[in-house]
Amino acid sequence: MFPLLKTRPKARKPAPPETRTLDVAGRLMPLTIKQHDQATRITLRIEPGGRALRMTVPRGLAAREVNAFLDRHQGWLLTKLAKFSTDTGLRDGGKILLRGVSHRIAHTGSLRGLTEVVSVDGSPVLRVSGMPEHVGRRIAAFLKKEARADLERLAAAHAATIQAPIRSISMKDTRSRWGSCSSEGNLSFSWRIVMAPPSVIDYLAAHEVAHLKEMNHGPRFWALCKKLCPGMEEAKSWLKRHGSQLHALDFD
């Protein structure tokens, strides 16, 4: 007789995440609920910028338990979300950070014209043309251009220091990370970093360039990162304290 062959049980196909809108004291928040085999409890997180929620639950958890958890944590959510203002201030007379410096927004009233930084009575002003409802988009386009100029220059300098070639550099609007580096040498950065002080922008460039040599976050990586950017710890601390504020701005 032939011995019975043992067959491996088929891996369960992960359930697709559930998406819904949660009303938190009148503030409508996108909520993603994901089931996880290894989860033993419910976890609820606020996405960077405070514009969405993410929930992880044990697989098969009853919907009534999910709803009860959300009801119990309404007060907690309300307290945490109060830190994120819904008023972006991206309008005439508002303020926007550029390289760590607050600039007053001045809408020119003209339908055409460049978005540019000027000095008025010794104070920095960002002049924006176009329709009033498009001010946010025009500011975003300006920030992307400025971010690319800064990061291409800084990344090239750091890459030359460690003699590592860069294949490409792209600007994105990622929420989960400020930058990335692929094994092929493609660097990606969040253009929102240009609102941070120059030392923080430099740290981000150094961080991703260091990955060209060390595709990890081990001791050798951090040593190389600090060699490229001696002010690394201060920059990391700034991002931890203020990064969510940069993500919170809605330019649309």
Side-chain angles (χ1 to χ4, degrees):
M1 296 180 64
F2 295 100
L4 293 176
L5 297 176
K6 294 183 179 180
T7 58
R8 294 181 180 178
K10 292 183 178 180
R12 285 189 295 179
K13 187 177 180 180
E18 175 192 349
T19 57
R20 65 166 86 167
T21 300
L22 183 67
D23 188 336
V24 184
R27 185 171 179 174
L28 300 180
M29 299 291 297
L31 169 66
T32 300
I33 304 173
K34 185 177 181 180
Q35 296 186 27
H36 199 287
D37 287 328
Q38 278 70 50
T40 57
R41 60 188 179 88
I42 300 175
T43 58
L44 179 62
R45 294 183 176 87
I46 300 174
E47 295 283 6
R51 293 197 288 171
L53 307 173
R54 181 170 295 275
M55 194 176 193
T56 302
V57 303
R59 184 176 295 280
L61 188 70
R64 65 177 180 276
E65 295 190 47
V66 173
N67 294 333
F69 181 93
L70 291 170
D71 288 341
R72 291 196 305 271
H73 287 78
Q74 279 276 322
W76 178 85
L77 281 172
L78 191 59
T79 300
K80 293 294 184 181
L81 291 172
K83 298 178 181 179
F84 302 98
S85 174
T86 56
D87 182 8
T88 64
L90 298 176
R91 58 180 177 274
D92 185 51
K95 301 282 187 177
I96 185 69
L97 287 173
L98 175 62
R99 300 182 181 95
V101 177
S102 180
H103 288 57
R104 179 173 61 84
I105 300 170
H107 183 238
T108 65
S110 173
L111 294 181
R112 295 186 179 183
L114 295 174
T115 301
E116 58 183 352
V117 173
V118 297
S119 179
V120 178
D121 297 329
S123 299
V125 173
L126 183 64
R127 289 168 51 91
V128 187
S129 60
M131 300 292 288
E133 60 268 28
H134 296 157
V135 166
R137 297 181 199 173
R138 285 183 172 261
I139 292 175
F142 174 79
L143 293 179
K144 292 174 188 177
K145 183 185 71 172
E146 295 297 301
R148 176 174 288 279
D150 284 6
L151 289 163
E152 285 184 345
R153 173 178 53 82
L154 293 167
H158 289 311
T161 298
I162 63 174
Q163 297 183 342
I166 297 173
R167 183 177 179 182
S168 69
I169 294 178
S170 61
M171 298 295 117
K172 296 184 179 181
D173 193 11
T174 50
R175 303 287 176 179
S176 59
R177 60 175 69 182
W178 287 103
S180 64
C181 173
S182 74
S183 57
E184 293 80 21
N186 300 313
L187 304 185
S188 174
F189 298 99
S190 169
W191 53 264
R192 290 173 182 261
I193 197 67
V194 79
M195 291 184 278
S199 60
V200 180
I201 303 172
D202 182 56
Y203 160 66
L204 180 60
H207 184 113
E208 298 310 330
V209 167
H211 278 311
L212 295 171
K213 288 285 188 180
E214 299 288 340
M215 290 294 291
N216 55 70
H217 285 105
R220 290 172 57 182
F221 165 80
W222 289 114
L224 179 57
C225 193
K226 190 167 186 177
K227 179 181 177 182
L228 294 173
C229 179
M232 176 184 75
E233 295 300 338
E234 292 82 359
K236 287 171 64 178
S237 178
W238 192 97
L239 273 179
K240 186 175 181 180
R241 295 194 312 271
H242 305 290
S244 290
Q245 298 172 22
L246 307 189
H247 283 304
L249 288 175
D250 187 353
F251 290 89
D252 294 328

